[in-house]
């Protein structure tokens, strides 16, 4: 899979590495800010906890 991805990317080695770094950063951003919070809402029961003093 990685070899096929490496062959598909255009340009010299430094450009391929840059493209891969940007792709990994974009994927991690989407996972952290959209996918994981959405899954958390589906799986974690919400509890309304109030502490009186």
């Amino acid at each position: 899979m990685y070899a096929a991805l490496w062959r598909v990317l255009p340009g010299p080695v430094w450009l391929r590495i840059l493209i891969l770094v940007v792709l990994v950063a974009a994927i991690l951003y989407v996972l952290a800010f959209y996918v994981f919070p959405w899954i958390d809402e589906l799986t974690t029961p919400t509890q309304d906890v109030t502490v009186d003093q």
Side-chain angles (χ1 to χ4, degrees), residues 1-51:
M1 180 174 120
Y2 299 115
L5 179 62
W6 189 255
R7 284 191 301 266
V8 171
L9 292 174
V13 174
W14 65 268
L15 183 60
R16 291 178 183 186
I17 292 172
L18 181 64
I19 292 171
L20 285 176
V21 168
V22 170
L23 284 175
V24 167
I27 290 169
L28 290 176
Y29 177 83
V30 168
L31 285 173
F33 289 103
Y34 295 103
V35 176
F36 294 150
W38 175 69
I39 292 173
D40 186 45
E41 289 178 4
L42 294 177
T43 59
T44 306
T46 57
Q47 297 177 356
D48 294 328
V49 177
T50 304
V51 177

